[in-house]
C-alpha cells in the first residue's frame, strides 16, 4: 500500500472509469484508475523505460509504432527518444486520463504535442481489429489491469490481431501483470502469446516497480521472427543512448537480466 496524504487533486468519473490524481507522501502525485495505482511521479520511469527501450534495441529498425492505452504519456515520451522512429500512433480509450495527466503529471505527459504523434481516442481492441495487416514494427500494449475497459486487452482475439498488424520482423510488448499478484492473468497471457507467436518467440521480462502490488511486474513479448534478446553487438550503442538521455533505470545489464527468470516463475510458466 502507499500512504496518500488525503489530498485529491483531480477526481472525474469518465464513461470508462474513475480518474483520480492523488498526492502521496513518498511517491509524489499518482494516477489512480478505479482505485488502482497506475503510475507515480517517483517510480514511473521504471515502467516506461522498460516497456520501451528493450524492444526498440532488439528490433534494431523501428519506424512505425502503435501504442494501445498509455494515456499518461510516459511510454511515448520514452519511445520518442529514438530518433529513427517516424510515427507513433497512440490509441487511448479515455480522453479524461490524458486531460488529468497533462494537468497534474506534466513530467510524464510531456510529449502529447509532438509532431510524430498521431493521437486517437478509441477502443484499442476495435482499432487493432480494423487496422491493416503488416502496418507496425512495434506494438506496445500499455494497458491497465484486466478489468473494465482493459479486460479485452488480454484476449486471444486481440493478440491475434496484434500479430496480424505487425510487419515481418515486428515485436509486440505488453504490460504482462505479475507472477506474484493476480498470477492467473500473468500465466494466461503467456499461454496466449506462446500459442500465437510460438514457444520460443514469447519471452517474459521482469522489472521492479515499488508502487505496484508486490513490486515485481512483467512485460511479455511476441516476436514475429525469432530474435536475439541479448543483442551483445548493441552494448556500446545502448550505453551511449543511456548516457545521452540520462536514463534512470534501463541499461545494457538490466536489459539482459530482465529476461532471466527465477525458477519458481519458470515452473509457473511451464518453461524448461
Ligand atoms: N503507463 C501506465 C503505468 O505506468 O502503469 C500503465 C497504465 S496506462 C495509464 C493504462 C491506460 O490504458 C489507461 O489510460 C486506460 O484508459 C487505457 N485503456 C484501458 N483499456 C483500453 C482499451 N480497450 N483501449 C485503449 N486504451 C485502454
Amino acid at each position: 500500500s502507499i500512504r496518500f496524504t488525503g489530498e485529491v487533486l483531480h477526481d472525474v468519473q469518465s464513461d470508462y472509469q474513475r480518474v483520480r490524481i492523488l498526492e502521496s507522501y513518498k511517491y509524489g502525485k499518482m494516477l489512480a484508475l478505479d482505485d488502482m495505482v497506475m503510475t507515480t511521479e517517483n517510480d514511473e520511469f521504471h515502467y516506461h523505460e522498460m516497456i520501451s527501450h528493450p524492444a526498440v534495441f532488439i528490433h534494431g529498425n523501428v519506424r512505425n509504432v502503435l501504442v494501445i492505452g498509455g494515456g499518461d504519456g510516459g511510454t511515448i515520451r520514452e519511445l520518442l527518444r529514438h530518433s529513427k522512429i517516424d510515427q507513433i500512433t497512440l490509441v487511448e480509450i479515455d480522453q479524461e486520463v490524458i486531460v488529468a495527466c497533462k494537468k497534474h503529471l506534466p513530467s510524464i505527459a510531456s510529449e502529447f504535442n509532438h509532431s510524430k504523434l498521431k493521437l486517437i481516442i478509441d477502443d484499442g481492441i476495435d482499432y487493432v481489429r480494423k487496422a491493416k495487416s503488416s502496418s507496425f514494427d512495434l506494438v506496445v500494449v500499455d494497458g491497465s489491469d484486466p478489468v473494465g475497459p482493459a479486460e479485452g486487452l488480454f484476449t486471444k482475439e486481440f493478440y491475434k490481431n496484434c500479430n496480424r498488424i505487425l510487419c515481418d520482423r515486428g515485436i509486440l510488448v505488453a504490460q504482462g501483470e505479475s507472477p506474484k499478484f493476480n498470477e492467473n492473468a500473468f500465466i494466461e497471457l503467456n499461454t496466449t502469446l506462446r500459442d500465437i507467436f510460438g514457444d520460443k518467440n514469447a519471452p517474459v521480462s521482469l522489472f521492479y516497480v515499488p508502487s505496484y502490488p508486490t513490486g515485481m511486474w512483467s512485460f511479455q513479448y511476441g516476436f514475429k521472427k525469432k530474435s536475439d534478446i541479448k543483442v551483445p553487438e548493441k552494448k556500446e550503442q545502448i550505453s551511449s543512448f543511456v548516457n545521452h538521455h540520462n536514463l534512470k533505470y534501463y541499461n545494457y545489464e538490466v536489459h539482459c537480466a530482465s529476461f532471466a527468470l527465477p525458477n519458481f516463475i519458470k515452473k509457473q510458466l511451464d518453461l524448461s
Side-chain angles (χ1 to χ4, degrees), residues 218-235:
S218 82
F219 290 121
Q220 301 206 37
Y221 290 76
F223 295 154
K224 200 92 177 185
K225 279 257 182 314
K226 183 147 181 48
S227 306
D228 169 11
I229 50 179
K230 294 276 168 72
V231 291
E233 74 287 359
K234 302 220 173 103
K235 188 173 179 183

Side-chain angles (χ1 to χ4, degrees), residues 135-173:
S135 308
F136 300 99
D137 303 303
L138 176 63
V139 172
V140 180
V141 184
D142 180 9
S144 15
D145 298 297
V147 289
E151 199 168 351
L153 300 181
F154 289 80
T155 63
K156 196 156 194 173
E157 189 232 356
F158 173 73
Y159 284 104
K160 276 185 173 171
N161 277 313
C162 289
N163 183 33
R164 177 183 59 77
I165 64 177
L166 279 170
C167 299
D168 188 26
R169 292 177 47 252
I171 293 180
L172 163 91
V173 54

Side-chain angles (χ1 to χ4, degrees), residues 11-25:
D11 188 354
V12 167
Q13 181 62 47
S14 78
D15 294 340
Y16 302 96
Q17 55 211 337
R18 186 178 185 187
V19 181
R20 290 193 294 172
I21 302 283
L22 309 171
E23 187 66 68
S24 71
Y25 284 103

Side-chain angles (χ1 to χ4, degrees), residues 88-156:
I88 301 175
T89 302
L90 179 81
V91 183
E92 164 59 57
I93 198 167
D94 193 345
Q95 174 80 31
E96 282 302 332
V97 174
I98 299 174
V99 168
C101 294
K102 283 170 84 169
K103 187 169 175 206
H104 297 284
L105 298 171
S107 64
I108 304 175
S110 55
E111 297 290 358
F112 277 106
N113 297 325
H114 199 287
S115 60
K116 289 185 179 181
L117 177 65
K118 183 179 166 195
L119 177 61
I120 298 173
I121 303 299
D122 191 7
D123 184 337
I125 300 157
D126 293 339
Y127 183 87
V128 298
R129 188 182 301 123
K130 294 176 206 148
K132 258 177 21 33
S133 299
S134 308
S135 308
F136 300 99
D137 303 303
L138 176 63
V139 172
V140 180
V141 184
D142 180 9
S144 15
D145 298 297
V147 289
E151 199 168 351
L153 300 181
F154 289 80
T155 63
K156 196 156 194 173

